[in-house]
Amino acid sequence: MNTVKTVRELRAAVARARSEGKRIGFVPTMGNLHSGHVALVTKATQRVDFVVASIFVNPLQFGAGEDLDKYPRTLAADQEKLLEAGCSLLFAPTVEEMYPDGMAGQTRVSVPQLSEGLCGASRPGHFEGVATVVSKLFNMVQPDLAIFGQKDFQQLAVIRALVHDLNMPIQIIGEPTVRAADGLALSSRNGFLNEEQRAVAPVVYRTLSTIAESIKQGERDFPTLISAQLQQLEAAGLRPDYLEIRHALTLRPATAEDRDLVILLAAFLGTTRLIDNLHLNLDTPS
Ligand code: PAF
């Protein structure tokens, strides 16, 4: 597996693969890879002949006071994991390579509606930063397909929308969240949790599962359901940012008649912001 740092080298390597008739798959990441990322790369290797991964901690998607500076950078360990997973090429650009003219005048991609509310409400500009960098990366790699984790459910919806709206010929695949044995969704930010917080963190997935179970049992009073679970989260020592039940495709607030639902949660444990979700399609037996 080669690692390249410039767009020029990336394009040359991808062009070589294309000239050999290979289909290109792409897994964009911010690094500090865990089994969830490895699962995305493994999935890509099953679908295409040439898998490109990127590692770029994108400043444009972090707000002031967020964890850009302390976001873990572990390139050597990441390279080993990617190699083992069968990745063909790693693109690991610098900020200057991605934004050679700086970020202030950078053309932005914004996906209205889907970017509003949930994480978009508490992280203004976040999804514009994500949509912009993902569009740039897509134009640099020009993959046939790209794979993302469903843990970032709203992000996946935003990316599906931008690909559709901007007529990009790229198939977007969402892969199920990989969890620790106690249910905690794998995330690079879990490394910020101390031992005590790590022991508490599985309450996030338990909360989602409890709500899903109640809905499956016929409960449709969503506000009451949510407020009871918010209290539980607070009692466990979390500071909830949001806990919502939305329609899984449109992300608009769910009604009692909706059948395709997603329960989404973001909460702070100390200074670490954890997010997770549970997709619940009442028409699909589970
Ligand atoms: O999910 C992530 O790791 C990032 O938001 C992404 C998609 C790589 C864009 O920077």
Side-chain angles (χ1 to χ4, degrees), residues 49-72:
D49 326 285
F50 192 86
V51 178
V52 181
S54 65
I55 294 180
F56 178 61
V57 183
N58 173 35
L60 208 59
Q61 69 188 72
F62 287 78
E66 289 189 343
D67 53 2
L68 172 63
D69 291 338
K70 70 169 188 173
Y71 200 89

Side-chain angles (χ1 to χ4, degrees), residues 28-31 37 54 56-58 61 71 126 129-130 133-134 137 148 152 155 159:
T29 80
M30 297 205 301
H37 297 110
S54 65
F56 178 61
V57 183
N58 173 35
Q61 69 188 72
Y71 200 89
H126 170 66
V130 170
V133 81
V134 168
L137 289 165
F148 295 84
D152 297 297
Q155 167 173 283
I159 291 166

Side-chain angles (χ1 to χ4, degrees), residues 126-146:
H126 170 66
F127 287 117
E128 190 178 83
V130 170
T132 301
V133 81
V134 168
S135 301
K136 283 169 73 77
L137 289 165
F138 280 175
N139 284 331
M140 292 167 182
V141 179
Q142 301 192 355
D144 296 287
L145 60 84

Side-chain angles (χ1 to χ4, degrees), residues 60-107:
L60 208 59
Q61 69 188 72
F62 287 78
E66 289 189 343
D67 53 2
L68 172 63
D69 291 338
K70 70 169 188 173
Y71 200 89
R73 281 129 169 119
T74 51
L75 185 63
D78 292 347
Q79 282 168 315
E80 271 179 42
K81 288 179 190 160
L82 289 171
L83 178 66
E84 210 171 306
C87 180
S88 320
L89 180 72
L90 169 61
F91 178 49
T94 59
V95 173
E96 292 70 32
E97 183 68 12
M98 288 300 287
Y99 301 111
D101 304 316
M103 285 180 287
Q106 166 70 49
T107 300

Side-chain angles (χ1 to χ4, degrees), residues 134-208:
V134 168
S135 301
K136 283 169 73 77
L137 289 165
F138 280 175
N139 284 331
M140 292 167 182
V141 179
Q142 301 192 355
D144 296 287
L145 60 84
I147 307 193
F148 295 84
Q150 288 168 357
K151 178 176 155 292
D152 297 297
F153 198 91
Q154 190 177 13
Q155 167 173 283
L156 182 56
V158 165
I159 291 166
R160 284 191 197 285
L162 86 84
V163 163
H164 174 266
D165 293 351
L166 299 180
N167 304 88
M168 295 182 179
I170 302 171
Q171 184 190 358
I172 301 299
I173 297 171
E175 276 295 293
T177 302
V178 177
R179 300 182 180 282
D182 58 13
L184 180 65
L186 297 193
S187 162
S188 303
R189 289 190 169 96
N190 292 351
F192 297 144
L193 300 173
N194 64 31
E195 208 177 315
E196 200 180 314
Q197 292 167 333
R198 176 62 189 79
V200 169
V203 71
V204 168
Y205 185 58
R206 277 204 304 278
T207 300
L208 296 170

